[in-house]
Amino acid sequence: MIALAPLAVSPEHQKQGIGKRLMQEGLKRCQNLGYSLVLLIGHPEYYPKFGFKPARPLGLELKQFAVPDDVFMVCELQEGALVRIQGELIYPEVFL
């Protein structure tokens, strides 16, 4: 499991497909490194198009940050990975 963050594109460069390409490359690299799940905190209308869905209903938790359920998301890179894992994501100190 890995957390993918942060992802940002300068406002003057948005709506040009840069964010999409960054996400595709990030997910590809995570998969190539052997990660089965990717977690993130992100916009609930943007990330589902990359396969992300709310993580809490699937047995994952995030208590470090007070975020709504729909912004804490997970993407399964290996089919069946979500049935093998439950627990709490704890971000490293660098994110605090």
Side-chain angles (χ1 to χ4, degrees):
M1 175 178 353
I2 190 168
L4 185 61
L7 174 68
V9 177
S10 297
E12 65 269 14
H13 297 292
Q14 291 177 359
K15 306 292 185 197
Q16 298 176 33
I18 297 168
K20 178 181 178 180
R21 289 193 301 273
L22 286 170
M23 276 304 300
Q24 290 169 334
E25 182 65 23
L27 292 173
K28 181 176 130 187
R29 289 183 185 207
C30 290
Q31 192 163 31
N32 289 343
L33 289 169
Y35 291 102
S36 58
L37 297 173
V38 179
L39 294 155
L40 60 73
I41 298 170
H43 199 282
E45 293 178 21
Y46 183 74
Y47 291 98
K49 64 184 162 189
F50 300 103
F52 285 88
K53 50 191 163 192
R56 286 186 177 118
L58 300 169
L60 301 170
E61 186 56 67
L62 175 64
K63 297 177 183 176
Q64 263 178 321
F65 306 105
V67 298
D69 289 351
D70 63 344
V71 303
F72 174 47
M73 293 182 266
V74 62
C75 177
E76 191 175 46
L77 296 178
Q78 294 176 2
E79 190 174 332
L82 282 167
V83 298
R84 298 188 311 261
I85 192 162
Q86 290 185 346
E88 180 182 353
L89 169 63
I90 300 174
Y91 277 88
E93 191 172 310
V94 70
F95 287 93
L96 304 179

